[in-house]
Amino acid sequence: MANVTPKKWHIRQVSRSEWSDYWLTCPKQNLLQSWEYGAAKEASDSWKPKRLVIFNENSQPIALVQVLTRCLPILGGIARINRGPLLMTDDPKSDVQLMIDLIALLILEARRQLWWIVQIAPEICDSEYACQRLQGLGFSKQSNIAWASSLIDLSLSADELYERLNRRWKRALLKASGLGVIVKSVELTEKRLANVLRSYSDLQKLNKFVGIDTRLIKEMSKSKSADWDFNLFVAELVTESSLKEEVGYRVTIRNGNTVLDFLVSTNEKGRHVGANSALYWHAILQAKESGCRWFDVGGFNELTPQGISDFKRGLNGTPYKLIGEWRRWFWS
């Protein structure tokens, strides 16, 4: 593969059914490259997705990529690629060079499509070598903080997953159980979604963060397919009078073989009784039971508050950090 030049490869836009078939062949998948995410971005924010598959010189598919495009006055066409391309191989030794070659081919596609600005946050782990290669392709590094997270291997047994938790996590789960916290999966209704969004909005105001656009959340919640689940979990607290009070929500999204921890909101009482930990643990076990391979803890980096970082690290997943945002202008 290292001796193959991108000029011998070609790109083709594919249909929904073709994309779904190719998607299943990718060992690692992520939310931002899913068909459903592109559709939600188009409905909520007017980005037009293009789904492309890249073929080698033997017409064999080697990667897929979802490009979000938009035409702006004066600037013209712009394109964004978030966490792509996705490879249809799982050979870490050749991944970086292969990804660079794929991006080089996408540059040619950008010229053909008249995309004058291309911004890419590729699915490449951070390294000096990869940075140098992207610079060699004419990209400049942006100041955005790179995505970093960790993956939990769901091929482990439930007991093995529990043993990997640190002491703080185990204490939190015992506390939540002892105080009467019960977590259950519930059907996503309009009323439920409204409650989640209201709770999430309150949390945004309390902690003064921007978070996820509610329009995007609503559009993603509408998606239904064999490769996609929008999962809602509710934490209830059983009171002394045997009444059940909802004290927290958690949403995860399954896309292919990976489940992403998407958003969480707990009220003051929920935080006091450890509902957040109980919700998280239930979501991990549900992802395993559904047959998924990976659980992505939802991102944390150097700007993440210490408490949240410690909380996610306590799950003892495998950490990863991507190379960040890069931009190239095409004026000729």
Side-chain angles (χ1 to χ4, degrees):
M1 185 66 70
N3 295 324
V4 176
T5 62
K7 293 180 181 179
K8 297 180 181 179
W9 301 347
H10 64 278
I11 296 177
R12 179 166 62 84
Q13 193 164 340
V14 294
S15 66
R16 174 68 183 268
S17 60
E18 289 177 298
W19 176 273
S20 296
D21 290 340
Y22 290 129
W23 175 264
L24 293 175
T25 68
C26 297
K28 294 285 181 66
Q29 302 154 340
N30 65 71
L31 173 70
L32 299 183
Q33 282 291 297
S34 67
W35 183 285
E36 291 80 3
Y37 179 81
K41 286 293 287 184
E42 184 173 19
S44 65
D45 202 19
S46 300
W47 286 92
K48 184 173 179 58
K50 289 186 179 294
R51 285 87 175 198
L52 309 173
V53 172
I54 300 172
F55 299 84
N56 65 14
E57 74 283 2
N58 297 317
S59 295
Q60 296 174 327
I62 55 177
L64 55 77
V65 59
Q66 176 168 250
V67 185
L68 300 180
T69 65
R70 179 183 280 174
C71 187
L72 296 179
I74 302 176
L75 290 177
I78 63 174
R80 289 181 57 85
I81 300 173
N82 290 318
R83 296 197 62 183
L86 296 184
L87 303 180
M88 298 181 191
T89 179
D90 195 15
D91 182 5
K93 294 181 180 179
S94 66
D95 279 1
V96 175
Q97 181 58 53
L98 177 55
M99 287 289 285
I100 295 299
D101 288 343
L102 292 167
I103 293 170
L105 185 63
L106 288 169
I107 290 175
L108 300 178
E109 182 68 12
R111 291 189 180 278
R112 192 180 72 83
Q113 296 275 357
L114 300 182
W115 298 332
W116 300 116
I117 304 172
V118 174
Q119 186 143 326
I120 182 169
E123 190 73 350
I124 301 176
C125 287
D126 192 18
S127 72
E128 183 177 350
Y129 172 76
C131 288
Q132 291 174 348
R133 296 305 306 274
L134 284 175
Q135 289 169 349
L137 292 177
F139 285 91
S140 58
K141 182 73 179 288
Q142 303 302 292
S143 60
N144 313 53
I145 299 298
W147 173 263
S149 188
S150 70
L151 290 174
I152 296 174
D153 184 356
L154 297 178
S155 67
L156 299 174
S157 69
D159 288 341
E160 289 172 324
L161 290 172
Y162 183 80
E163 286 304 313
R164 291 173 70 91
L165 301 177
N166 69 11
R167 292 180 180 180
R168 181 180 175 185
W169 252 96
K170 292 176 181 176
R171 287 197 300 267
L173 291 177
L174 286 172
K175 175 183 177 181
S177 177
L179 292 176
V181 175
I182 298 174
V183 178
K184 60 183 183 181
S185 305
V186 299
E187 181 182 357
L188 184 69
T189 62
E190 288 187 14
K191 182 178 179 180
R192 285 282 190 192
L193 181 60
N195 289 341
V196 170
L197 294 179
R198 188 182 310 110
S199 177
Y200 183 62
S201 177
D202 291 341
L203 190 67
Q204 286 175 299
K205 294 174 183 176
L206 176 66
N207 293 332
K208 299 179 180 179
F209 68 96
V210 177
I212 306 163
D213 190 326
T214 56
R215 295 173 301 173
L216 182 62
I217 296 173
K218 288 179 181 178
E219 291 299 329
M220 284 195 288
S221 72
K222 299 175 185 177
S223 295
K224 296 182 184 298
S225 78
D227 300 325
W228 176 275
D229 288 316
F230 192 93
N231 303 305
L232 174 60
F233 305 95
V234 175
E236 295 179 337
L237 181 63
V238 180
T239 64
E240 293 180 356
S241 56
S242 297
L243 296 176
K244 294 180 180 179
E245 178 185 357
E246 293 187 357
V247 294
Y249 306 96
R250 181 164 237 110
V251 172
T252 66
I253 295 178
R254 179 184 70 85
N255 49 105
N257 61 14
T258 302
V259 172
L260 171 70
D261 184 49
F262 188 58
L263 64 85
V264 62
S265 177
T266 53
N267 60 25
E268 185 175 353
K269 185 176 293 187
R271 291 188 288 274
H272 177 70
V273 297
N276 193 14
S277 299
L279 283 163
Y280 217 130
W281 181 240
H282 188 95
I284 292 171
L285 294 182
Q286 192 269 352
K288 175 176 174 56
E289 291 167 3
S290 70
C292 286
R293 180 68 172 81
W294 307 102
F295 188 96
D296 194 307
V297 305
F300 59 92
N301 54 46
E302 57 266 33
L303 295 185
T304 303
Q306 187 67 40
I308 297 175
S309 293
D310 291 343
F311 177 78
K312 294 188 175 187
R313 287 193 181 95
L315 291 160
N316 284 318
T318 301
Y320 68 92
K321 181 180 180 181
L322 301 184
I323 200 168
E325 294 258 2
W326 296 74
R327 180 183 295 162
R328 175 167 170 169
W329 298 72
F330 297 84
W331 295 123
S332 60

